[in-house]
Amino acid sequence: MSAVPIRRPRALVAVIAAAALVGIPAAPATAAPPPELPEPAYETVSQELLIPMDDGVRLAATVALPSLDGQTPLEGRFPVVVGMTPYGRNGVCGCFPPDFFATRGMVGAVVDVRGTGGSGGTLEDNYFSPREARDSYHVIEYLGTQPYSSGRVGMAGGSYVGITQYLAAAQKPPHLAAITPAVAISDLYRDGFAHGGIPNLLFDAQYVAVQGVPGAVGVNTDPALVEHTIAAKLGQSAVGTIAFDYLARPNDDPFYRDRSPIYRAEDIEVPTLVIGGWRDGLLRGATEMYERLDQRRGVETRLYIDPCTHKGCGAPFAPLTDGPGRHAVAALAFEFLQKHLAGVDTPARPPVELYVQGRDEHVSAEAWPPATTTFERLELGPGAIGAGTGRDAPSTEQFVTNPAEGLSMTFDRFGTVAATPYVPTDQRLAGAHGLTFRTPPLADGLTLMGPINLRLVAASTATDTDWHAKLADVGPDGSESIITDGALRASHRELDPQLTTPARPYHTHTDPQPIEPNRFYEYDIEIWPTAYELEPGHRLQLRITSTDLPTHMPGWIALDRSGPEGARIELMPPAVNTVRLDGSYLLLPVAGR
């Protein structure tokens, strides 16, 4: 990957004094109006069936076909859109229900992945396994060769159902024509299980441990499939056992890589629409996959990111988060599939469409990060961003941390990936637990649009500690609204020199090494990307802490799957952490300078 160009401006004190932090004009808007979802035009006929795999296992599927009377399928051949789900295809599947497409002139299908719902097999290889990816290949080829099929198959859905699209496309099934993955990870370790090597406790506890429950409950409803359902249920894995595969692996290893789409991106050849949300706890995957897939030539690759969480905007999961004027994601995906499956002439869309939070409008670009973004180095000073330490100013700042007594935004974007709502609380509640740095009031506002890197020169009295970095928008009334955040465990500081760029560090997470107490180290902390505009008079804030309970685990989980009775939790000890201001800085993506 090529390095991201950096522009190093004058010291920010002078910059602000000269009012150089200017408001950013909107990028050219999309020429075409926002996509609209066609109204249903057909009745549907649904059927449940079993699709054979190459090893004899049969996967349960629900297929819906267009119909004029709801009794007889419409004659002809139609594009097929399929979702692969572990959540029970006839329940809350995380996918578009088959009728969604059938009522609009396509064939819709949803399939239970092996070991779940009404499908045979077990989860012995766990979710996202290479075996599961091969199953997706066979499902696509089966659907693409049926009498009702035009031979062009697409995929749609979010979260797990988005991840399976990447993994299926990497298998290169001949009948697959396009995918539209939404809110999907790129890297199972870095996006999901851990952040900067720190276990994502709130996500892991809710998601990994109970992942098998919806699929275990799901069944076939067709009486003709009762016998198969009973046999399938008897063979499926016990709920919760798959969690051991994660908890026994605190570091990145082949288990995670075999299940991570980013390692197979070069094998994906079909047109791809990547959909993400700025408040989604899996956001990192959207931009990473887009950047990798955008390197393809002659294959349409698009990125759309709205302001929403993993579960969308609005009640019940994000009651305080919405975005006026945001596009309907379902309409966006349907339009993309119409184009590539049915050859429909659709409006021209830009490669990148981003919803700018704070400004509450879309901007378009030809790439990510946008060409209007420049990366500016803002030094840390005593309580300040963009001010050097100064000749008479203290060169270090300290804080005492007890990892077991921390405070974080409990209902944050990572929890809403699973079950808890997203309720962004005022960040002043966390002010006593670390160090706070701010810009002066911004004379003309500031727009951030891209990834962010925090270079931290720091020491600890402990042999390991965590660094949590949170950016916030401070209003004139003192309220602190979270923008984005990042994290790094000190022992996971090793960088991959081939994948690291100045704007986004990439850590190996394979061989953690303790730190020497009271020795200063340079840490590059990946702060997740954003598109956010701060209004004039507001301040940009950076807060550094060493605890983030209950979101992140302040220690390790030691577990051996063959002897789970010996499991233990090792918490980090209290420590004094010191930040050396000289050499510590934020690398910010400033748009439209």
Side-chain angles (χ1 to χ4, degrees), residues 15 24 33 146 182 184 295 306 351 526 587:
V15 173
I24 309 302
Q146 295 306 298
Q295 297 175 19
D306 65 19
E526 177 188 9
L587 194 63

Side-chain angles (χ1 to χ4, degrees), residues 34-300:
E36 293 185 3
L37 189 66
E39 292 296 325
Y42 299 98
E43 300 292 327
T44 65
V45 175
S46 296
Q47 55 181 287
E48 290 190 321
L49 66 151
L50 301 174
I51 301 178
M53 300 295 103
D54 58 331
D55 61 353
V57 169
R58 294 185 295 171
L59 303 189
T62 298
V63 177
L65 300 104
S67 171
L68 294 178
D69 58 7
Q71 303 293 325
T72 305
L74 195 64
E75 292 185 4
R77 294 178 178 269
F78 307 91
V80 182
V81 183
V82 61
M84 304 289 295
T85 182
Y87 303 128
R89 69 189 191 283
N90 296 322
V92 183
C93 63
C95 57
F96 291 97
D99 286 356
F100 175 87
F101 292 102
T103 57
R104 294 172 173 84
M106 299 186 188
V107 174
V110 182
V111 181
D112 292 328
V113 300
R114 73 167 53 209
T116 71
S119 291
T122 73
L123 290 172
E124 181 180 356
D125 293 330
N126 216 295
Y127 290 115
F128 312 121
S129 68
R131 173 66 260 184
E132 187 180 282
R134 292 197 299 274
D135 289 346
S136 294
Y137 175 98
H138 292 295
V139 166
I140 291 165
E141 290 308 289
Y142 175 90
L143 295 171
T145 55
Q146 295 306 298
Y148 50 71
S149 173
S150 67
R152 299 187 68 78
V153 179
M155 302 186 79
S159 192
Y160 194 109
V161 190
I163 301 164
T164 55
Q165 294 178 54
Y166 288 133
L167 297 176
Q171 298 288 313
K172 301 182 181 179
H175 289 89
L176 185 63
I179 58 174
T180 57
V183 292
I185 64 165
S186 63
D187 188 316
L188 187 57
Y189 183 83
R190 291 166 179 80
D191 303 356
F193 178 74
H195 299 142
I198 307 171
N200 184 1
L201 178 63
L202 191 60
F203 169 75
D204 295 342
Q206 295 183 88
Y207 185 78
V208 176
V210 300
Q211 175 69 295
V213 174
V217 174
V219 297
N220 298 313
T221 58
D222 188 336
L225 301 181
V226 169
E227 183 177 349
H228 178 271
T229 299
I230 295 173
K233 288 300 176 189
L234 290 175
Q236 290 175 4
S237 305
V239 172
T241 57
I242 62 170
F244 293 125
D245 288 324
Y246 296 80
L247 299 178
R249 293 175 169 87
N251 305 317
D252 194 15
D253 69 6
F255 173 84
Y256 294 109
R257 293 173 206 148
D258 284 346
R259 292 158 177 78
S260 296
I262 194 63
Y263 294 99
R264 270 139 215 97
E266 66 276 6
D267 295 323
I268 298 175
E269 300 176 346
V270 297
T272 304
L273 168 62
V274 179
I275 300 170
W278 293 125
R279 302 299 179 174
D280 174 28
L282 302 183
L283 163 68
R284 182 182 179 279
T287 55
E288 185 179 38
M289 282 302 291
Y290 174 78
E291 285 187 88
R292 188 69 62 85
L293 294 175
D294 189 43
Q295 297 175 19
R296 307 176 299 175
R297 293 293 176 262
V299 181
E300 184 175 15

Side-chain angles (χ1 to χ4, degrees), residues 471-475 479-483 532-535 538-539:
L471 290 184
D473 178 352
V474 181
S479 60
E480 302 174 9
S481 302
I482 189 74
I483 298 175
Y532 191 98
E533 182 169 283
L534 292 88
E535 297 179 4
H538 287 226
R539 300 169 181 240

Side-chain angles (χ1 to χ4, degrees), residues 559-577:
L559 178 77
D560 181 351
R561 182 165 186 167
S562 62
E565 69 281 354
R568 66 188 186 278
I569 296 176
E570 300 175 0
L571 294 178
M572 291 184 177
V576 176
N577 289 342

Side-chain angles (χ1 to χ4, degrees), residues 6 375-378 451-454 502-503 585-589:
I6 304 174
F375 290 90
E376 301 189 0
R377 175 170 163 165
L378 278 61
I452 302 163
N453 183 14
L454 170 63
Y585 60 85
L586 273 171
L587 194 63
L588 286 179

Side-chain angles (χ1 to χ4, degrees), residues 503-554:
R504 199 197 70 167
Y506 193 97
H507 300 88
T508 60
H509 299 305
T510 55
D511 185 26
Q513 294 294 316
I515 57 176
E516 180 182 332
N518 299 313
R519 174 186 168 186
F520 283 93
Y521 294 84
E522 291 185 345
Y523 301 97
D524 286 283
I525 301 172
E526 177 188 9
I527 297 179
W528 284 18
T530 191
Y532 191 98
E533 182 169 283
L534 292 88
E535 297 179 4
H538 287 226
R539 300 169 181 240
L540 176 67
Q541 172 180 287
L542 167 68
R543 178 162 292 128
I544 300 172
T545 68
S546 291
T547 185
D548 194 39
L549 275 173
T551 299
H552 289 97
M553 176 77 178

Side-chain angles (χ1 to χ4, degrees), residues 415-467:
T416 195
V417 172
T420 57
Y422 175 71
V423 183
T425 54
D426 194 318
Q427 294 297 287
R428 283 179 289 190
L429 297 172
H433 295 275
L435 301 177
T436 300
F437 304 87
R438 291 178 176 175
T439 66
L442 301 168
D444 297 291
L446 173 68
T447 298
L448 305 176
M449 201 174 297
I452 302 163
N453 183 14
L454 170 63
R455 165 65 61 85
L456 196 66
V457 182
S460 177
T461 57
T463 57
D464 204 359
T465 192
D466 292 340
W467 304 110

